[in-house]
Amino acid sequence: MRASLVPLLALVAWTLPACGGAEYDLVVYASHDQEHSEPIIKMFEERTGLKVRAQYDVEQNKTVGLVNRLIAEKDAPQCDVFWNNEIAHTIRLKRLGLTQPAESEATRAIPAEFRDAEGHWVGFAARARVLMVDPKQLEAAGTSLPPSIWEMTAAEYAKYGSMAQPLTGTTLTHFAVLSQQLGREQVLDWLRASRESGIALTNGNATSMKRVCQGDFPWCLTDTDDAAAAIANGYAMEVVYPDQTDAVQGTLLIPNTACMIAGSERMEAAQQFIDYLVSPEIEEYLANSRARQIPLHPEAKAPEGLQLPFRDFAVLAVDWEAAATELQEVEEEFQKIFTQ
Amino acid sequence: MPSLLRQARVWQGFAALLALGLVIGPLGPLLAAIFRGDAFTQLGEARVALVFWRSVWMAALSAGLAVLVGLPLAILAHRTRVWGAELLALLTPLTLLLPPLLMAQGWNGLTGWDGLWASVFTLGMCYAPLPALLASRALAVQPGAAHESALLCGGRRLALREMLTTARPAVALGGSLAFLFSITDFAVPDYMAALGDTFGVYPGHVFNHFRDDDYWAGARAAAPLILLCALVLYLGLWARDRWSQETPGSGRQADALDWGRATPAWSLLAWSLLGLTLLLPLGRIVFELGVAGPEAPGTWGSRASESVQAAFDRGREDVGRSFSNASLAGLVALLLAPFLAHLLASRRGRTARLLMTLTALPLLVPGVGYGMGAIAFANRPGWSEFYQGTGLVVLVYAGRFLPIAVFLLAERFQSVPRSRDEAALTLGLSYPRRLLQVFVTPQLSAWLLAAGLVVVFAVRELDLAILLPGANQSAAVRYFNALHFARDGFVAAFGLLIAILLFLPAMLYAAWTSLRRRDV
Amino acid sequence: MSDLALDLSGLHCRFGDQSVLEDFALQLAPGERLAITGRSGRGKTTLLRVLAGLQPAQAGTLNLHGKLAMQDGRQLLAPWERSLQLVFQDLGLWPTRTVRQHLLDALRAQGLRGSAASGRADESLRALGIASLADRKPARLSGGEARRVALARALVTHPRLLLLDEPFASLDATSRAEGFALLDQVLAATDAAVVLVTHDPEEATRLGGRQLSLDSANSPS
């Protein structure tokens, strides 16, 4: 018995140091790809000497995630800065009174359409909602691409494509924006029809992207970062920006957003981190990363081959506040259509 | 006072209070939701009722499949002389270490199957080790005389029938556990529904409600599922008790059945079953290590090597933290589980079944709800250090996974002859000493295995890892983060790394028990 | 206040619908020996377990050495507070403890430690002829040796009442002869009152005291 206590004592000795608490100068919740967000946060630590506690998110496997944690923590906030890889939930947090203004010269350098008028959030490093295409498959199928996402479910296109159900992530945001701009009933009818149209409805953009890579379909509606991942993995894919004709409004851009959490006791460090995130340097870093994020800062230099909004493609103008309101209202309607 | 400390109920009561203290914060609001009348009115809505009942029959089919595969696997690996039987027995539980979503991806990649039936099949394969493990334990203690007399009277056929009868109670419980895990899984049906024909399951309804700002909406949505799970577990325990029979025997264990000339055929069947539950999807995951598009640079081998290197470099510290937190939770289980297990083992019939069902509640509730409950409980002014620290993580993990350790130990404690305990009782040994001497020390390997299982489940846990500050920088979060961002090679390599590390203690345990057997 | 070693009255024991002991009474003077015989299922073991405080009864009062141990079927004294020991039919040895540790554990529970405990344990081991087995664990003992260890463990605490539950059941003829010799040794070594339950009349006679058959008295037909 005594001999068997040895491994137990060793276990205690190994695990006890983990119990020690640590002091932090800043707490950041980051829902961006950990492979990119982690080195960016570490770089910030090295430069400023501040100790950052980073918390990362997961959207796969259907968890609730950091947004709900921020809401659950509202009575005793722990987080100083939330780095969200999309925008809708950031506005939701603002509406719940969980953010506070964090404006500076650096944030004001971002174009006004990508930051909050009251300074509660600022956008940077965006993704575009695009069609990812396998040209070989498209040619073999003898078909062409839908010029607008509205035509994806038309009989001549639907069976060749795939899109994620608009229940989570950027697809939910995308259809909420469309619902707000074009009318809720029209969008709901379109989504209902999509189920019967023959288009492959998946659980996420990454799945759609993978199915195109596997050769299941010639194209899919996805985000630029997913398309970039496919290309980085050695698949010969092309990215097409939809809705570029005069008749339709342009491609949707969904930026990363940064906001300062209300009740933060480390406001100075929080502002410093937000300024760092929206700097041209970080935008360039993310543009050069595998995710190929689209820089929004006018001074940020885009790598060769990366198309820039306004310059290379038309951008859908969005009233993000109104879109966020719409999202909250239509989310359950979307669930009713797809959760059956 | 000394007399009081000799009382089992004092110690067990204290342990039960401590265990209750671990879980009451996270669990309380979820359980309270069950007693709110409106929790069940949602089932009156046709859409909700449809997905609820679909989830029930899908989980029932998965559980049936798990039994159909798990039971023969247990018999072949543990009680017959098939080729590599020991290795088969060792590898069977490995499936439980892999996230079901990874298995689903493996199966889809291999076969292209998708939709509802693919979900039923995948979950059946994922949880086949549960009936297999419980059945193998029951088969291991089948008295030699019973087996040999069956062999003499009716040959292999009767011997196999006797094995099935012996394993039946354990299979009933294993099947109900497979049902519980299948019906609460959302990732696999969601994945398969997205690839093929769309269908919804009830955990999706629960998940969608937990995303609302109103915590109660999630708790209310979860209530029918929690109650159903508790009911199924109770029925599983009831079936186990009803079918259990005391078989008089000398204590000599039954020998393995020789298949004679049919050995190759049965061996092939056994390895095929393991192929379904583990080897084929695992093979696909290994293949994913270096898979890339036609224009990717390098060979499969060079890309696989890069993936493994990246998994090791980037994930090393997270894996260390995960194991450290999980080990502390295992340590708490190590201390508390024997008292609670003894409490359960000393009860019989309905009381025991009710106690076991109550004990299992922390496992039956959705992880998301448990984590949100923990935040509501521990994130309060003045508690920041505790809330941010490892202490909370350890306590929450220990509370959630303690039932696994308690169940395993209770089952072992039940097999201890009553006279050993009563001899200690009449001699006046103190209760802790009695527990240690009569129950724990003779079952030392089971005690360590129980804590080991807590470690395994804590390392695998994702929902709590995202929601608890001290648990966030973990292997689970890094793994699923990479999965979401489609880093296939890294995901495969990191998944394998975690599985190997989780499997290592099981291998050491197997080696150690084998050495101990030789000692005796 | 009675000075009997054991004074039991009005005992009712039932398992479900089946009554095992009905209005059973029993008295035993200090140092007295009683053999209780009866076929299987007559409640012999149940009676011993009730006396030892290991299970309650539906009704009955029990005094042990003048102390009220059970009233209305409810056990008032814990098993270790009764100054008795029970030798179980399957012995109940602890698999991870050596023979000597079995005895030392029993003595430690009574507050005896150190050299005093060691001395007394060695004395008991010698008395029962198992001193050479002191460092063995139960798995390495023969059936007869294990039986001696169980008796030694019970006797080392100097109980005032010794309960023996079929100590020689299922032994072959040679082992039974050895068993009887051992019983003689045990009886010589203790002045405790002894209750032995057995289904074997020869064993009952060998005890040399009063005999009571549960087949004929206080039990259902």
Side-chain angles (χ1 to χ4, degrees), chain A residues 128-151:
Chain A
R129 297 283 298 163
V130 294
L131 295 177
M132 186 188 87
V133 191
D134 180 350
K136 281 186 188 160
Q137 281 194 73
L138 197 68
E139 193 185 335
T143 180
S144 58
L145 283 179
S148 158
I149 63 160
W150 290 111
E151 292 177 60

Side-chain angles (χ1 to χ4, degrees), chain C residues 24-81:
Chain C
F24 185 84
L26 181 67
Q27 271 103 34
L28 202 66
E32 190 184 353
R33 275 128 203 216
L34 170 69
I36 300 177
T37 56
R39 293 195 302 270
S40 296
R42 290 287 163 173
K44 303 187 294 293
T45 298
T46 302
L47 174 64
L48 290 195
R49 290 172 53 76
V50 169
L51 293 178
L54 293 170
Q55 70 175 63
Q58 272 68 43
T61 302
L62 171 67
N63 279 284
L64 290 169
H65 314 290
K67 272 180 159 172
L68 187 61
M70 180 175 78
Q71 193 167 37
D72 300 329
R74 200 161 60 86
Q75 297 289 7
L76 303 177
L77 287 182
W80 60 83
E81 293 168 335

Side-chain angles (χ1 to χ4, degrees), chain B residues 62-75 78 92 96 123-139 167-179 181-182 277:
Chain B
S62 292
L65 202 56
V67 168
L68 275 180
V69 172
L71 179 58
L73 191 54
I75 290 177
H78 289 267
T92 301
L96 293 174
L123 287 172
M125 294 306 108
C126 284
Y127 295 116
L130 286 170
L133 278 176
L134 293 176
S136 64
R137 169 75 190 154
L139 289 166
R168 194 168 58 166
V171 166
L173 186 58
S176 60
L177 290 176
F179 177 92
F181 282 103
S182 298
T277 61

